[in-house]
Amino acid sequence: MTGIGFDPDCRRCPRLASFLDEVGEQYPDYHARPVAPFGAPDARLLVVGLAPGMHGANASGRPFTGDHAGILLYQTLHRHGFASRPESLSADDGLELPDCRITNAVKCLPPQNKPVGAEIKACRDYLAVELASLPGGGVIVALGSIAHRSVVASLGLRQKDMQFGHGAEHALPGGRILLDSYHCSRYNTQTRRLTEPMFDAVFARARALLDE
């Protein structure tokens, strides 16, 4: 799924474009390009992460695939009926995401996994297109505060009206709901800032909202 909010040849951020060129030379088998959203084009659940990981999505070409962060995410999606299998192995493994799509606030790998403000802003119009495609009553799960702020900004809403907090729930125009979660990064899960039950509760709520 590559048609929504995505340009595979985007080079609008000079720092990210040159970094991807360097990574592609160092790892010639890696995807090392902007990473497309993955999942159903008509999904009612949109999961928004931060950016591709060096040896994860940047390598595989699929969001949250190939590194630690994706393990808990795909297991949880599968548990709640949003994934056909509990793991994502590669971009061509046949995995399907019924009624779900995964994207990132920033589509390109940033150095040290830290995009700067201008890069987050430059990628925001792609996210806005994805958000516009979400039907009324849809649910957005933001993984981390940067994803949360990008969603809020892309919708033209005020940050002060929608503060990030794990498990927080925000009403959006069109009857849509924004749910917040800490990012399922290795650091957050190993330090127990984010536990499996905490993460599961967010997607259980997403499923309940969509089933109402």
mmCIF file of all heavy atoms in Angstrom, residues 38 62-66 69-80 82-89 95-97 102 184 199:
data_model
loop_
_atom_site.group_PDB
_atom_site.id
_atom_site.type_symbol
_atom_site.label_atom_id
_atom_site.label_comp_id
_atom_site.label_asym_id
_atom_site.label_seq_id
_atom_site.Cartn_x
_atom_site.Cartn_y
_atom_site.Cartn_z
ATOM 1 N N PHE A 38 1.877 1.051 5.479
ATOM 2 C CA PHE A 38 1.583 -0.359 5.253
ATOM 3 C C PHE A 38 0.222 -0.696 5.847
ATOM 4 O O PHE A 38 -0.044 -0.375 7.004
ATOM 5 C CB PHE A 38 2.654 -1.240 5.892
ATOM 6 C CG PHE A 38 2.296 -2.702 5.957
ATOM 7 C CD1 PHE A 38 1.944 -3.405 4.809
ATOM 8 C CD2 PHE A 38 2.296 -3.391 7.166
ATOM 9 C CE1 PHE A 38 1.604 -4.750 4.862
ATOM 10 C CE2 PHE A 38 1.970 -4.730 7.233
ATOM 11 C CZ PHE A 38 1.618 -5.408 6.078
ATOM 12 N N ARG A 62 9.292 -1.793 5.317
ATOM 13 C CA ARG A 62 7.949 -1.853 5.902
ATOM 14 C C ARG A 62 8.002 -1.302 7.326
ATOM 15 O O ARG A 62 8.908 -1.654 8.087
ATOM 16 C CB ARG A 62 7.435 -3.289 5.941
ATOM 17 C CG ARG A 62 6.058 -3.412 6.624
ATOM 18 C CD ARG A 62 5.678 -4.862 6.872
ATOM 19 N NE ARG A 62 5.224 -5.518 5.666
ATOM 20 C CZ ARG A 62 4.920 -6.825 5.609
ATOM 21 N NH1 ARG A 62 5.056 -7.586 6.694
ATOM 22 N NH2 ARG A 62 4.507 -7.362 4.479
ATOM 23 N N PRO A 63 7.046 -0.451 7.712
ATOM 24 C CA PRO A 63 7.069 0.106 9.064
ATOM 25 C C PRO A 63 7.141 -0.967 10.151
ATOM 26 O O PRO A 63 6.459 -1.996 10.069
ATOM 27 C CB PRO A 63 5.748 0.880 9.147
ATOM 28 C CG PRO A 63 5.439 1.245 7.729
ATOM 29 C CD PRO A 63 5.930 0.075 6.914
ATOM 30 N N PHE A 64 7.984 -0.724 11.142
ATOM 31 C CA PHE A 64 8.103 -1.572 12.331
ATOM 32 C C PHE A 64 8.435 -3.032 11.991
ATOM 33 O O PHE A 64 7.986 -3.943 12.672
ATOM 34 C CB PHE A 64 6.808 -1.513 13.153
ATOM 35 C CG PHE A 64 6.590 -0.207 13.842
ATOM 36 C CD1 PHE A 64 5.916 0.824 13.209
ATOM 37 C CD2 PHE A 64 7.077 0.017 15.122
ATOM 38 C CE1 PHE A 64 5.720 2.051 13.834
ATOM 39 C CE2 PHE A 64 6.884 1.233 15.763
ATOM 40 C CZ PHE A 64 6.204 2.249 15.111
ATOM 41 N N THR A 65 9.245 -3.231 10.972
ATOM 42 C CA THR A 65 9.587 -4.586 10.546
ATOM 43 C C THR A 65 11.100 -4.756 10.510
ATOM 44 O O THR A 65 11.781 -4.050 9.777
ATOM 45 C CB THR A 65 8.984 -4.891 9.163
ATOM 46 O OG1 THR A 65 7.563 -4.773 9.235
ATOM 47 C CG2 THR A 65 9.359 -6.285 8.690
ATOM 48 N N GLY A 66 11.595 -5.654 11.360
ATOM 49 C CA GLY A 66 13.022 -5.943 11.378
ATOM 50 C C GLY A 66 13.737 -5.487 12.631
ATOM 51 O O GLY A 66 14.919 -5.769 12.788
ATOM 52 N N ALA A 69 11.106 -2.818 18.061
ATOM 53 C CA ALA A 69 9.864 -2.071 18.264
ATOM 54 C C ALA A 69 8.656 -2.754 17.633
ATOM 55 O O ALA A 69 7.540 -2.636 18.137
ATOM 56 C CB ALA A 69 10.007 -0.654 17.713
ATOM 57 N N GLY A 70 8.882 -3.475 16.547
ATOM 58 C CA GLY A 70 7.757 -4.095 15.852
ATOM 59 C C GLY A 70 7.244 -5.365 16.498
ATOM 60 O O GLY A 70 6.114 -5.792 16.213
ATOM 61 N N ILE A 71 8.037 -5.982 17.362
ATOM 62 C CA ILE A 71 7.624 -7.262 17.943
ATOM 63 C C ILE A 71 6.340 -7.108 18.730
ATOM 64 O O ILE A 71 5.333 -7.802 18.480
ATOM 65 C CB ILE A 71 8.747 -7.832 18.839
ATOM 66 C CG1 ILE A 71 9.996 -8.144 17.996
ATOM 67 C CG2 ILE A 71 8.257 -9.088 19.555
ATOM 68 C CD1 ILE A 71 11.197 -8.570 18.832
ATOM 69 N N LEU A 72 6.337 -6.183 19.676
ATOM 70 C CA LEU A 72 5.147 -5.976 20.500
ATOM 71 C C LEU A 72 3.997 -5.413 19.676
ATOM 72 O O LEU A 72 2.834 -5.797 19.885
ATOM 73 C CB LEU A 72 5.480 -5.038 21.662
ATOM 74 C CG LEU A 72 4.333 -4.694 22.619
ATOM 75 C CD1 LEU A 72 3.757 -5.956 23.248
ATOM 76 C CD2 LEU A 72 4.816 -3.735 23.703
ATOM 77 N N LEU A 73 4.292 -4.531 18.732
ATOM 78 C CA LEU A 73 3.227 -3.912 17.941
ATOM 79 C C LEU A 73 2.445 -4.959 17.154
ATOM 80 O O LEU A 73 1.203 -5.005 17.230
ATOM 81 C CB LEU A 73 3.802 -2.868 16.991
ATOM 82 C CG LEU A 73 2.780 -2.229 16.047
ATOM 83 C CD1 LEU A 73 1.666 -1.527 16.814
ATOM 84 C CD2 LEU A 73 3.466 -1.260 15.078
ATOM 85 N N TYR A 74 3.125 -5.800 16.393
ATOM 86 C CA TYR A 74 2.406 -6.758 15.552
ATOM 87 C C TYR A 74 1.728 -7.847 16.388
ATOM 88 O O TYR A 74 0.646 -8.318 16.028
ATOM 89 C CB TYR A 74 3.337 -7.351 14.494
ATOM 90 C CG TYR A 74 3.615 -6.386 13.370
ATOM 91 C CD1 TYR A 74 4.829 -5.711 13.276
ATOM 92 C CD2 TYR A 74 2.647 -6.111 12.415
ATOM 93 C CE1 TYR A 74 5.071 -4.801 12.261
ATOM 94 C CE2 TYR A 74 2.876 -5.212 11.386
ATOM 95 C CZ TYR A 74 4.093 -4.555 11.313
ATOM 96 O OH TYR A 74 4.320 -3.647 10.304
ATOM 97 N N GLN A 75 2.331 -8.247 17.494
ATOM 98 C CA GLN A 75 1.663 -9.193 18.385
ATOM 99 C C GLN A 75 0.344 -8.609 18.892
ATOM 100 O O GLN A 75 -0.687 -9.302 18.940
ATOM 101 C CB GLN A 75 2.567 -9.528 19.574
ATOM 102 C CG GLN A 75 3.751 -10.415 19.244
ATOM 103 C CD GLN A 75 4.671 -10.618 20.436
ATOM 104 O OE1 GLN A 75 4.560 -9.930 21.460
ATOM 105 N NE2 GLN A 75 5.598 -11.555 20.321
ATOM 106 N N THR A 76 0.384 -7.343 19.260
ATOM 107 C CA THR A 76 -0.803 -6.696 19.813
ATOM 108 C C THR A 76 -1.865 -6.477 18.736
ATOM 109 O O THR A 76 -3.064 -6.696 18.970
ATOM 110 C CB THR A 76 -0.422 -5.351 20.463
ATOM 111 O OG1 THR A 76 0.623 -5.579 21.426
ATOM 112 C CG2 THR A 76 -1.606 -4.734 21.171
ATOM 113 N N LEU A 77 -1.442 -6.068 17.557
ATOM 114 C CA LEU A 77 -2.393 -5.910 16.462
ATOM 115 C C LEU A 77 -3.090 -7.231 16.152
ATOM 116 O O LEU A 77 -4.312 -7.282 15.945
ATOM 117 C CB LEU A 77 -1.682 -5.389 15.213
ATOM 118 C CG LEU A 77 -1.192 -3.941 15.252
ATOM 119 C CD1 LEU A 77 -0.391 -3.630 13.998
ATOM 120 C CD2 LEU A 77 -2.361 -2.967 15.385
ATOM 121 N N HIS A 78 -2.324 -8.307 16.126
ATOM 122 C CA HIS A 78 -2.895 -9.618 15.842
ATOM 123 C C HIS A 78 -3.889 -10.030 16.923
ATOM 124 O O HIS A 78 -4.972 -10.572 16.627
ATOM 125 C CB HIS A 78 -1.780 -10.663 15.727
ATOM 126 C CG HIS A 78 -2.274 -12.049 15.441
ATOM 127 N ND1 HIS A 78 -2.351 -13.027 16.414
ATOM 128 C CD2 HIS A 78 -2.723 -12.626 14.300
ATOM 129 C CE1 HIS A 78 -2.814 -14.136 15.891
ATOM 130 N NE2 HIS A 78 -3.052 -13.922 14.610
ATOM 131 N N ARG A 79 -3.559 -9.769 18.161
ATOM 132 C CA ARG A 79 -4.432 -10.142 19.279
ATOM 133 C C ARG A 79 -5.806 -9.485 19.163
ATOM 134 O O ARG A 79 -6.813 -10.063 19.569
ATOM 135 C CB ARG A 79 -3.764 -9.754 20.595
ATOM 136 C CG ARG A 79 -4.505 -10.239 21.838
ATOM 137 C CD ARG A 79 -3.771 -9.836 23.107
ATOM 138 N NE ARG A 79 -2.392 -10.316 23.120
ATOM 139 C CZ ARG A 79 -1.313 -9.542 23.183
ATOM 140 N NH1 ARG A 79 -1.455 -8.226 23.255
ATOM 141 N NH2 ARG A 79 -0.110 -10.065 23.185
ATOM 142 N N HIS A 80 -5.839 -8.301 18.593
ATOM 143 C CA HIS A 80 -7.101 -7.569 18.506
ATOM 144 C C HIS A 80 -7.704 -7.581 17.102
ATOM 145 O O HIS A 80 -8.591 -6.772 16.803
ATOM 146 C CB HIS A 80 -6.901 -6.144 19.011
ATOM 147 C CG HIS A 80 -6.594 -6.101 20.475
ATOM 148 N ND1 HIS A 80 -7.545 -6.299 21.449
ATOM 149 C CD2 HIS A 80 -5.420 -5.929 21.146
ATOM 150 C CE1 HIS A 80 -6.996 -6.233 22.641
ATOM 151 N NE2 HIS A 80 -5.700 -6.015 22.486
ATOM 152 N N PHE A 82 -6.299 -6.982 14.097
ATOM 153 C CA PHE A 82 -5.826 -6.008 13.119
ATOM 154 C C PHE A 82 -4.662 -6.520 12.268
ATOM 155 O O PHE A 82 -4.134 -5.766 11.445
ATOM 156 C CB PHE A 82 -5.401 -4.718 13.819
ATOM 157 C CG PHE A 82 -6.523 -3.982 14.500
ATOM 158 C CD1 PHE A 82 -6.545 -3.839 15.876
ATOM 159 C CD2 PHE A 82 -7.564 -3.441 13.757
ATOM 160 C CE1 PHE A 82 -7.576 -3.156 16.511
ATOM 161 C CE2 PHE A 82 -8.599 -2.753 14.375
ATOM 162 C CZ PHE A 82 -8.609 -2.611 15.759
ATOM 163 N N ALA A 83 -4.228 -7.745 12.478
ATOM 164 C CA ALA A 83 -3.139 -8.326 11.686
ATOM 165 C C ALA A 83 -3.411 -9.810 11.475
ATOM 166 O O ALA A 83 -3.927 -10.483 12.369
ATOM 167 C CB ALA A 83 -1.783 -8.133 12.380
ATOM 168 N N SER A 84 -3.073 -10.301 10.301
ATOM 169 C CA SER A 84 -3.348 -11.704 9.972
ATOM 170 C C SER A 84 -2.394 -12.665 10.666
ATOM 171 O O SER A 84 -2.690 -13.855 10.784
ATOM 172 C CB SER A 84 -3.276 -11.912 8.454
ATOM 173 O OG SER A 84 -1.988 -11.564 7.938
ATOM 174 N N ARG A 85 -1.248 -12.154 11.129
ATOM 175 C CA ARG A 85 -0.280 -12.968 11.861
ATOM 176 C C ARG A 85 0.350 -12.113 12.957
ATOM 177 O O ARG A 85 0.343 -10.898 12.857
ATOM 178 C CB ARG A 85 0.814 -13.511 10.931
ATOM 179 C CG ARG A 85 0.333 -14.560 9.941
ATOM 180 C CD ARG A 85 1.522 -15.357 9.386
ATOM 181 N NE ARG A 85 2.598 -14.486 8.906
ATOM 182 C CZ ARG A 85 2.651 -13.990 7.677
ATOM 183 N NH1 ARG A 85 1.708 -14.257 6.807
ATOM 184 N NH2 ARG A 85 3.666 -13.221 7.317
ATOM 185 N N PRO A 86 0.960 -12.732 13.971
ATOM 186 C CA PRO A 86 1.515 -11.949 15.079
ATOM 187 C C PRO A 86 2.918 -11.420 14.847
ATOM 188 O O PRO A 86 3.514 -10.852 15.768
ATOM 189 C CB PRO A 86 1.492 -12.940 16.245
ATOM 190 C CG PRO A 86 1.661 -14.269 15.591
ATOM 191 C CD PRO A 86 0.919 -14.179 14.299
ATOM 192 N N GLU A 87 3.456 -11.584 13.659
ATOM 193 C CA GLU A 87 4.790 -11.049 13.409
ATOM 194 C C GLU A 87 4.924 -10.618 11.961
ATOM 195 O O GLU A 87 4.283 -11.161 11.067
ATOM 196 C CB GLU A 87 5.876 -12.083 13.748
ATOM 197 C CG GLU A 87 5.771 -13.377 12.982
ATOM 198 C CD GLU A 87 6.834 -14.384 13.399
ATOM 199 O OE1 GLU A 87 7.776 -13.996 14.111
ATOM 200 O OE2 GLU A 87 6.736 -15.545 12.999
ATOM 201 N N SER A 88 5.762 -9.594 11.771
ATOM 202 C CA SER A 88 6.081 -9.085 10.447
ATOM 203 C C SER A 88 7.535 -9.405 10.162
ATOM 204 O O SER A 88 8.433 -8.932 10.863
ATOM 205 C CB SER A 88 5.841 -7.569 10.393
ATOM 206 O OG SER A 88 6.206 -7.042 9.133
ATOM 207 N N LEU A 89 7.771 -10.220 9.144
ATOM 208 C CA LEU A 89 9.116 -10.718 8.865
ATOM 209 C C LEU A 89 9.830 -9.943 7.762
ATOM 210 O O LEU A 89 11.026 -9.710 7.832
ATOM 211 C CB LEU A 89 9.035 -12.196 8.479
ATOM 212 C CG LEU A 89 8.419 -13.128 9.533
ATOM 213 C CD1 LEU A 89 8.293 -14.545 8.978
ATOM 214 C CD2 LEU A 89 9.239 -13.115 10.807
ATOM 215 N N LEU A 95 1.850 -10.775 4.982
ATOM 216 C CA LEU A 95 1.089 -10.276 6.121
ATOM 217 C C LEU A 95 0.052 -9.259 5.661
ATOM 218 O O LEU A 95 0.329 -8.411 4.807
ATOM 219 C CB LEU A 95 2.035 -9.628 7.133
ATOM 220 C CG LEU A 95 1.406 -8.976 8.361
ATOM 221 C CD1 LEU A 95 0.758 -10.030 9.261
ATOM 222 C CD2 LEU A 95 2.442 -8.173 9.137
ATOM 223 N N GLU A 96 -1.146 -9.321 6.240
ATOM 224 C CA GLU A 96 -2.197 -8.363 5.945
ATOM 225 C C GLU A 96 -2.662 -7.700 7.234
ATOM 226 O O GLU A 96 -2.623 -8.316 8.316
ATOM 227 C CB GLU A 96 -3.382 -9.054 5.257
ATOM 228 C CG GLU A 96 -3.032 -9.651 3.896
ATOM 229 C CD GLU A 96 -4.216 -10.305 3.227
ATOM 230 O OE1 GLU A 96 -5.298 -10.380 3.861
ATOM 231 O OE2 GLU A 96 -4.079 -10.745 2.078
ATOM 232 N N LEU A 97 -3.085 -6.461 7.120
ATOM 233 C CA LEU A 97 -3.597 -5.707 8.269
ATOM 234 C C LEU A 97 -5.055 -5.335 8.007
ATOM 235 O O LEU A 97 -5.342 -4.264 7.464
ATOM 236 C CB LEU A 97 -2.769 -4.446 8.510
ATOM 237 C CG LEU A 97 -1.280 -4.610 8.785
ATOM 238 C CD1 LEU A 97 -0.654 -3.260 9.120
ATOM 239 C CD2 LEU A 97 -1.028 -5.612 9.907
ATOM 240 N N ILE A 102 -0.410 1.292 9.132
ATOM 241 C CA ILE A 102 0.682 1.809 9.951
ATOM 242 C C ILE A 102 1.490 2.790 9.114
ATOM 243 O O ILE A 102 1.809 2.527 7.949
ATOM 244 C CB ILE A 102 1.615 0.675 10.429
ATOM 245 C CG1 ILE A 102 0.827 -0.401 11.175
ATOM 246 C CG2 ILE A 102 2.713 1.228 11.327
ATOM 247 C CD1 ILE A 102 1.659 -1.615 11.526
ATOM 248 N N CYS A 184 6.528 1.919 21.476
ATOM 249 C CA CYS A 184 6.929 0.545 21.812
ATOM 250 C C CYS A 184 8.397 0.296 21.475
ATOM 251 O O CYS A 184 8.764 -0.751 20.913
ATOM 252 C CB CYS A 184 6.031 -0.461 21.089
ATOM 253 S SG CYS A 184 5.817 -0.141 19.314
ATOM 254 N N PHE A 199 0.234 -1.469 26.810
ATOM 255 C CA PHE A 199 0.113 -1.337 25.361
ATOM 256 C C PHE A 199 -1.159 -2.021 24.874
ATOM 257 O O PHE A 199 -1.892 -1.484 24.044
ATOM 258 C CB PHE A 199 1.349 -1.948 24.715
ATOM 259 C CG PHE A 199 1.593 -1.509 23.296
ATOM 260 C CD1 PHE A 199 1.803 -0.166 22.990
ATOM 261 C CD2 PHE A 199 1.664 -2.428 22.267
ATOM 262 C CE1 PHE A 199 2.046 0.242 21.692
ATOM 263 C CE2 PHE A 199 1.907 -2.030 20.962
ATOM 264 C CZ PHE A 199 2.100 -0.690 20.674
#
